[in-house]
Amino acid sequence: MSTYVYGIAASSHPALPEGMGGVGDPARPVRILQEGELAAIVSEAPEGLRPKRKDLLAHQNVLSEAGAGGPLLPMRFGSVAPDDASVTGVLAERAEHYLERLGALDGKVEYNVKASHDEEAVLHRVMGENPELRALTEANRQAGGGTYEDRLRLGEMVVAAVQAREAEDAAELQRALEPAATAVSAGPESTGWLANVSFLVDRQSAEVFLAAVEQLRKSHPHIEVRVNGPLPPYSFVEPGPSQPAETTH
């Protein structure tokens, strides 16, 4: 039977509540595998597991219960090993890395920040910043719309200006929020977002980070900012001594 892994903690970590259930239907009993100074929080892995709401919530609930007792390295939903021995083998092999990460993430939470442009507001902004765009727009207007080539050129210039503004705003967002975080991790690029960045934040100073987000919203009204958190620090489990958490990846 394959083994589902919820997270990794120190072996001194307090035990989970008696009879706690995890993913699956019926819920698989959650247990702890110990290896030296480390412990993995696991259960049997159900066949054909899919990211359905019930199981996503069960995964999150196990992490919440385990994380309440001390630092925890959360695994993403769907982390499955061939068997228990494979899990303890990885704990033994990567003990130094995991112990370093547990220390680095103690008392920390993750906030994921996604940003996009308000289309009308950003068009207004790039027109205001670019005299050439304004001149070409006015020339086309006076020419009754301009030729097809003129309209095409204007459209290409607008797209380029908006893309440049996206890159600048993504950099400004990170610069504005970095001081309130202890580490930053750039997420995968995706259509519709000019920025997708996770910030590692001390749980005790989360209000400072959220205040920085509000200040960013006020100073950049053409940017729509969405914050998800506090989350377990999924994006910061992997960096180890050879790659400090402060490195953007």
Side-chain angles (χ1 to χ4, degrees), residues 99-137:
L99 289 168
E100 183 275 336
R101 286 288 81 204
L102 284 167
L105 301 183
D106 190 10
K108 307 292 196 305
V109 292
E110 177 175 333
Y111 283 90
N112 175 255
V113 178
K114 290 185 173 70
S116 60
H117 273 152
D118 177 287
E119 189 171 333
E120 185 175 339
V122 76
L123 283 173
H124 181 76
R125 178 156 185 161
V126 298
M127 293 297 287
E129 294 172 339
N130 195 316
E132 189 180 0
L133 273 182
R134 294 199 302 275
L136 186 56
T137 301

Side-chain angles (χ1 to χ4, degrees), residues 4-27:
Y4 187 96
V5 185
Y6 299 87
I8 298 168
S11 57
S12 57
H13 199 290
L16 290 165
E18 187 72 25
M20 185 172 192
V23 297
D25 188 14

Side-chain angles (χ1 to χ4, degrees), residues 92-205:
E93 180 183 337
R94 305 194 69 199
E96 183 179 352
H97 166 81
Y98 288 137
L99 289 168
E100 183 275 336
R101 286 288 81 204
L102 284 167
L105 301 183
D106 190 10
K108 307 292 196 305
V109 292
E110 177 175 333
Y111 283 90
N112 175 255
V113 178
K114 290 185 173 70
S116 60
H117 273 152
D118 177 287
E119 189 171 333
E120 185 175 339
V122 76
L123 283 173
H124 181 76
R125 178 156 185 161
V126 298
M127 293 297 287
E129 294 172 339
N130 195 316
E132 189 180 0
L133 273 182
R134 294 199 302 275
L136 186 56
T137 301
E138 179 61 20
N140 282 3
R141 186 186 68 79
Q142 291 186 3
T147 65
Y148 170 78
E149 289 76 13
D150 288 338
R151 294 196 303 273
L152 182 62
R153 178 168 172 252
L154 177 60
E156 290 173 343
M157 288 176 64
V158 169
V159 169
V162 169
Q163 289 176 339
R165 171 47 58 189
E166 285 182 350
E168 290 174 17
D169 285 339
E172 285 185 25
L173 178 146
Q174 188 161 320
R175 280 195 301 270
L177 301 183
E178 266 183 328
T182 60
V184 180
S185 175
E189 293 184 9
S190 57
T191 303
W193 303 110
L194 64 89
N196 175 19
V197 187
S198 289
F199 296 86
L200 187 65
V201 176
D202 191 306
R203 190 186 297 273
Q204 301 303 318
S205 60

Side-chain angles (χ1 to χ4, degrees), residues 23 32 42 46 48 50 53 58 60-61 67 89 99 121 140 151 159 192 206 208 225 229 248:
V23 297
I32 295 176
V42 305
R50 297 289 183 271
R53 177 176 171 78
Q60 189 63 37
N61 185 49
L99 289 168
N140 282 3
R151 294 196 303 273
V159 169
V208 175
V225 182
T248 301

